[in-house]
Amino acid sequence: MVKKNTRNHKTFSEVVGLKAFFQNDIINFIVGILLVLLAIYTAIAFVSFFSTGQNDQSLILDLRPGELQNTAKLFKNSCGSFGAFVSYFFISRCFGLSAFIVPLFIGMVGLRLVKAYQFNLLKWFCCMSIAMLWLSVTAAKILTPVLPTLWFNPGGDYGLSTCQWIENVVGAPGLMSVLVLTALVFLTYLSRETILVVRKVLNPVSAISNRIPFSVNYGQQSEEAAENSVQTEADPTVFDDPTAQVVEFGNDGKDVVIDRPEEEMMIVATPADSEEHAANEENEMKVTAGLDEQKADSKVVSGNADLNVPINPLEPWLKYKYPTLDLLKKYETDGKPYIDMDEQKRNKNRIVEVLDNFGVKIKTIKATVGPTITLYEITPAEGVRISKIRNLEDDIALSLAALGIRIIAPIPGKGTIGIEVPNAKPNIVSMESILNSKRFQETTMDLPIAIGKTITNEVFMVDLAKIPHLLVAGATGQGKSVGLNTIITSLLYKKHPNELKFVLIDPKKVEFSIYSPIANHFMAQVPDSDEPIITDVKKVIYTLNSLCKLMDTRYDLLKMAGAKNIKEYNRKYVNHQLRLTDGHEYMPYIVVIIDEFGDLIMTAGKEIEMPIARIAQLARAVGIHMVIATQRPTTSIITGNIKANFPGRMAFRVSSMIDSRTILDRPGANQLIGRGDLLFLNGNEPVRVQCAFVDTPEIEDINKYVAQQQGPLEPIELPEPSTADDGDFAGGGIEAHNLDPLFEEAARSIVLNNQGSTSMIQRTFSIGYNRAGRLMDQMEKAGIVGAARGAKPREVLIQDENTLNEVLARLK
């Protein structure tokens, strides 16, 4: 036999010398000592973190050039700046208190290398990793409410995020079940004694009785006793084992037990005892059966009683917390408008002087100071025509050297004439002062929008559910975007994610991107959409058509429920008056906000206007409301069809009277002073309001807060819109020359992916919605996909490519 020479086949580690390097005792000893020292160093840094971490954390988060060298001793950690960074990363950013397992394992590796201890490092690594992750999540759940003042989460960012994610999916009971199950599986892997402990906890009585092996022998000796004993008819039963229990049968038929250790005791029952024991067992079974019947009856009663308890529409996100007011900024002038008495007297004297110069006599004049505007109410003398005062608007503005003079002649409900004059020092109306007002806190509106403050410093609020659609217009930089943010913020502070969903359309791509963090909680989107905030014009058309389909679906549900509107429908739902098997579910309000509506109209025209008009005409009853904004309020953009269906108007400053008439059907918006000064029209006369100011950092803090709360894991899906049948399919037939050129490729893509949706075809082949819809209709006619199923993708009827080839061959 020829032996193969295997010595020439060296491994890569042998070639480069790595194997010899790591097998060198000196190298292992040095590295081991270094790891032990590193473990001690890291442990000291971790301990020091508890007293210095709060100070060092501010430096880490805002590190400046040169601070890492710590020449100024700014880092207070005992292990310097490096120790501060290491402890912050592992404790605050990662695993919390369980991060101490990291230096422990590093120390074990070091001790293993110096051969002080022989650890199975792979087993210890797996076990300690599982323990660290489990302790991180457990600490985040249990210790967070116990240590509310701690500047870092006890479970670290990993523990907190994992805890919130699991709790969002399965709730608090599910999270605790996962933690307990993981702990039991882990402990059972470490030791089988865990099973005995669990049994003892679940049934203490059984665990105690199991300490004594108990066997009942009715008139016969047990098999174990028969094997270990020698028995004769004359002599009593005697066990050969001297340590075994000796059980003798006496002449009276009773048992005689001779000394034996308790743990090895065995009881042998006589026939009389057997009958008595059987009778006791039968009685116990009867009692137990009776108790079980009582429990079953009580369950039935409690089940019936639950039907009388209304459904909580906020489930399962009952722990969701609404944003707090401390997320909003306060200003010094909140609630206390600055009043310059010299300015007020000066303006009053000039108004009286100008009117007197033109022969207009007045009886009284009174001033009401608002945040940005002062209203002077004058009572003219008898015989003075109102039109004469109205024509003096420019002269009064010239005399006061002020912009934005507006005359209200007369003030509705009063026998006075109002002259609005801007203040020399306007006050900022903070969002905090509006949302913290009693009126907002105690409102019962369905969709409360707190816009700002009036001239009389009253909080101005409207109910979007009653308006029911709002048109916002204003020139660039006059506060239109802030106004939209005010609307969204008001609703976020009052509505639960189960009660409200937004559809945000932003052609500029920058206005609403700030709301991306709350997409899962408060957004609705079309199927297969990459981003819930819509920026593409084609997707805007698709989304609006999807909303029309949702509107029709909701009307069908209202018809089935015998309800006239969403409020009545939801009331029936929560009171168990609707059958869930019929597809009934709680309906959240949907607020569609479109920025730069003018750009959409210029790009898509009627394709945009028609679904908007249809939604505006019909969607109020089913809880779909629209807010559209534009900076070009021309008649070509705000058409008569749009104006007729948008009774709510919110006009910021515009450049001309024509634009004002387009928005409000009257002048006034051209006389505003800008910076949030607006006119709100929802009825006969517009109301002048100073819009509340909410800054970008405030919105970011609110969104971050909302994103951290329990809530939906993804945006709700809007139904896939249906498309009208193309004329080529009249009569129900399908002909090859009528097929779209992409028909075969689209059909193969649908079958291979086993997913049929218009949006997928649109995205795959970069085509428009209408063409993609026609392709889906053609494939439905050919029997490749099923009918549309609302928000769900169509069912793919052909499961393999061979069958598809046969269908395509028949079409040809």
Side-chain angles (χ1 to χ4, degrees), residues 619-778:
R620 172 181 183 175
V622 292
I624 302 176
H625 305 275
M626 302 196 73
V627 178
I628 62 174
T630 181
Q631 63 179 353
R632 294 190 297 272
T634 61
T635 54
S636 60
I637 294 173
I638 305 178
T639 62
N641 198 14
I642 295 293
K643 289 177 65 175
N645 294 292
F646 282 76
R649 316 282 174 80
M650 191 166 157
F652 292 86
R653 184 183 180 186
V654 293
S655 57
S656 67
M657 185 184 297
I658 297 176
D659 291 343
S660 178
R661 290 186 181 278
T662 303
I663 306 169
L664 302 174
D665 297 321
R666 70 197 73 196
N670 57 309
Q671 298 168 321
L672 301 175
I673 63 173
R675 297 179 61 85
D677 188 19
L678 66 93
L679 290 173
F680 191 93
L681 176 65
N682 187 30
N684 296 327
E685 293 294 329
V687 180
R688 193 164 187 175
V689 180
Q690 177 60 40
C691 184
F693 178 70
V694 54
D695 204 0
T696 300
E698 298 175 75
I699 300 174
E700 291 175 344
D701 292 341
I702 295 170
N703 293 337
K704 183 179 179 181
Y705 181 91
V706 171
Q708 292 174 348
Q709 302 302 313
Q710 287 188 353
L713 301 179
E714 60 183 1
I716 67 167
E717 279 198 353
L718 299 173
E720 184 175 346
S722 57
T723 58
D725 287 344
D726 193 85
D728 295 336
F729 295 95
I734 180 169
E735 299 178 0
H737 67 274
N738 290 328
L739 292 177
D740 191 285
L742 291 175
F743 178 86
E744 185 172 344
E745 293 182 52
R748 293 189 186 280
S749 176
I750 291 291
V751 172
L752 291 177
N753 292 302
N754 197 27
Q755 180 183 1
S757 67
T758 306
S759 57
M760 191 195 78
I761 296 178
Q762 193 176 357
R763 187 173 59 254
T764 304
F765 297 97
S766 301
I767 60 177
Y769 168 76
N770 292 333
R771 187 179 180 185
R774 285 194 296 270
L775 277 167
M776 289 301 296
D777 290 338
Q778 291 174 358

Side-chain angles (χ1 to χ4, degrees), residues 296-548:
D297 292 341
S298 65
K299 288 181 180 179
V300 172
V301 173
S302 63
N304 292 334
D306 289 341
L307 294 177
N308 296 324
V309 179
I311 298 174
N312 189 344
L314 308 186
E315 292 179 347
W317 319 117
L318 298 178
K319 291 187 178 181
Y320 174 83
K321 294 181 181 179
Y322 295 87
T324 56
L325 291 173
D326 57 5
L327 299 172
L328 299 171
K329 185 178 180 181
K330 294 183 179 180
Y331 295 89
E332 296 179 357
T333 57
D334 280 351
K336 297 178 291 184
Y338 174 78
I339 301 177
D340 187 343
M341 293 305 300
D342 293 336
E343 178 188 356
Q344 303 306 321
K345 291 179 181 179
R346 187 166 56 250
N347 288 342
K348 182 197 72 172
N349 294 334
R350 288 180 178 174
I351 291 173
V352 172
E353 181 181 355
V354 171
L355 294 176
D356 187 62
N357 291 339
F358 287 91
V360 177
K361 303 297 181 182
I362 62 174
K363 291 182 179 179
T364 59
I365 182 169
K366 182 179 68 173
T368 303
V369 182
T372 57
I373 301 293
T374 298
L375 173 64
Y376 295 91
E377 294 184 47
I378 61 175
T379 305
E382 289 80 358
V384 176
R385 292 185 177 181
I386 295 177
S387 59
K388 190 174 184 180
I389 299 177
R390 189 184 292 118
N391 293 333
L392 296 176
E393 188 173 76
D394 294 337
D395 298 287
I396 296 174
L398 179 63
S399 174
L400 297 176
L403 296 174
I405 299 292
R406 195 170 76 103
I407 294 180
I408 309 172
I411 297 178
K414 295 184 178 181
T416 58
I417 295 174
I419 301 176
E420 295 175 346
V421 180
N423 296 334
K425 294 181 179 180
N427 298 324
I428 296 177
V429 177
S430 69
M431 197 69 199
E432 192 274 341
S433 66
I434 301 297
L435 302 186
N436 198 20
S437 64
K438 183 178 180 181
R439 186 176 182 187
F440 182 80
Q441 294 292 328
E442 299 179 357
T443 184
T444 57
M445 296 179 180
D446 295 322
L447 293 174
I449 298 176
I451 296 177
K453 288 186 177 181
T454 63
I455 292 177
T456 57
N457 281 295
E458 295 178 351
V459 174
F460 184 78
M461 290 178 56
V462 293
D463 189 355
L464 184 59
K466 293 181 178 179
I467 291 179
H469 308 291
L470 181 61
L471 173 62
V472 182
T476 303
Q478 303 305 315
K480 177 170 53 64
S481 297
V482 175
L484 295 179
N485 290 331
T486 300
I487 292 173
I488 297 174
T489 302
S490 301
L491 295 173
L492 289 177
Y493 267 81
K494 270 296 181 182
K495 306 307 289 184
H496 188 275
N498 286 3
E499 299 175 310
L500 172 69
K501 299 297 177 182
F502 289 105
V503 175
L504 301 182
I505 299 175
D506 181 17
K508 287 199 299 188
K509 305 181 181 181
V510 294
E511 291 294 340
F512 292 149
S513 59
I514 194 173
Y515 294 102
S516 295
I518 64 171
N520 291 342
H521 287 72
F522 281 101
M523 299 290 180
Q525 66 179 24
V526 293
D528 302 326
S529 178
D530 298 331
E531 296 180 357
I533 299 174
I534 305 138
T535 57
D536 186 11
V537 176
K538 294 181 181 178
K539 292 184 179 180
V540 173
I541 301 172
Y542 184 75
T543 302
L544 292 175
N545 289 325
S546 177
L547 288 168
C548 291

